């Protein structure tokens, strides 16, 4: 099944709200890849998702720590217990990301993986995934287009 949705956001708060709505639709065992330039709003969208999933703040960007795991105090109704928020921006070789556990996170049947900069490790990505692409709109600092592709 191929599905595409497109949204527009005018503020960071609106992007967080879109993240909340999207976060409510997820099943355990899903990989979600976030594409888009630095500052496009990937982490902002993810902050909304983490909030609605009931993860405990702070919701930091994992650019330097590579992955932050959130163990939910209360599993979601459909059985998500863990969220792996990963960022491959600093990865030069996909194998290095595999070494720190990427394949295991994706194989967790009670987890979801939120991955920023999937371009860095394209070879490791399964075909069954959701791609979310954020882009800046020309002529504005705050307008974003957000496209969700489900494969
Ligand atoms: N509509 C918008 N959606 C998301 N972020 C926005 C928007 N407008 C302005 N911003 C700002 O842009 C920055 C996005 O940063 P971040 O989410 O960390 O981006 P990324 O993770 O893609 O590098 C934040 O400072 C945020 O406040
Ligand atoms: Mg980020």
């Amino acid at each position: 099944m191929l599905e595409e949705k497109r949204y527009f956001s005018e503020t960071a708060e609106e992007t967080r709200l879109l993240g909340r709505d999207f976060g409510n639709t997820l099943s355990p065992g899903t990989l979600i890849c976030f594409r888009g330039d630095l500052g496009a709003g990937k982490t902002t969208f993810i902050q909304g998702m983490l909030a609605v999933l009931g993860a405990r703040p702070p919701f930091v960007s994992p650019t330097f720590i590579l992955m932050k795991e959130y163990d939910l105090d209360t599993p979601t109704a459909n059985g998500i217990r863990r969220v792996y928020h990963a960022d491959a921006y600093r990865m030069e070789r996909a194998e290095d990301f595999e070494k720190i556990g990427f394949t295991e996170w994706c194989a967790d049947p009670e987890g979801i993986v939120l991955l920023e900069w999937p371009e860095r490790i394209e070879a490791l990505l399964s075909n069954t995934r959701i791609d979310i692409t954020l882009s800046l709109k020309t002529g504005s600092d705050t307008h974003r287009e957000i496209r969700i592709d489900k494969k």
Side-chain angles (χ1 to χ4, degrees):
M1 187 184 65
L2 198 73
E3 198 182 311
E4 185 193 299
K5 287 186 184 139
R6 216 176 267 265
Y7 302 91
F8 295 95
S9 162
E10 297 190 356
T11 63
E13 195 45 42
E14 221 176 303
T15 297
R16 261 182 225 109
L17 286 173
L18 286 167
R20 291 188 77 101
D21 289 346
F22 176 72
N24 273 325
T25 69
L26 290 175
S27 313
T30 309
L31 166 66
I32 302 129
C33 294
F34 291 85
R35 298 164 192 273
D37 291 339
L38 219 53
K42 302 180 291 296
T43 301
T44 302
F45 187 96
I46 287 169
Q47 285 167 347
M49 294 181 67
L50 289 168
V52 83
L53 289 165
R56 205 180 311 139
F59 302 148
V60 296
S61 170
T63 308
F64 295 98
I65 54 172
L66 305 179
M67 194 280 285
K68 181 170 177 186
E69 178 177 338
Y70 296 88
D71 297 328
L72 304 183
D73 292 331
T74 313
T76 64
N78 63 358
I80 298 170
R81 288 172 185 274
R82 284 170 291 283
V83 182
Y84 304 91
H85 179 191
D87 188 328
Y89 184 66
R90 291 155 56 85
M91 283 295 121
E92 274 164 26
R93 302 173 333 132
E95 308 90 79
D96 293 337
F97 217 62
E98 206 166 13
K99 275 187 204 130
I100 65 163
F102 180 72
T103 315
E104 280 84 4
W105 313 331
C106 291
D108 182 349
E110 297 181 327
I112 59 169
V113 179
L114 312 179
L115 173 65
E116 299 187 45
W117 295 97
E119 298 88 339
R120 298 282 196 269
I121 59 164
E122 213 77 65
L124 299 182
L125 305 178
S126 73
N127 288 327
T128 315
R129 61 170 195 257
I130 300 175
D131 284 300
I132 301 189
T133 309
L134 295 97
S135 21
L136 284 95
K137 307 280 285 175
T138 43
S140 163
D141 287 342
T142 60
H143 288 211
R144 305 285 193 272
E145 183 188 297
I146 300 167
R147 208 182 70 213
I148 302 182
D149 295 290
K150 233 180 239 190
K151 279 181 207 131

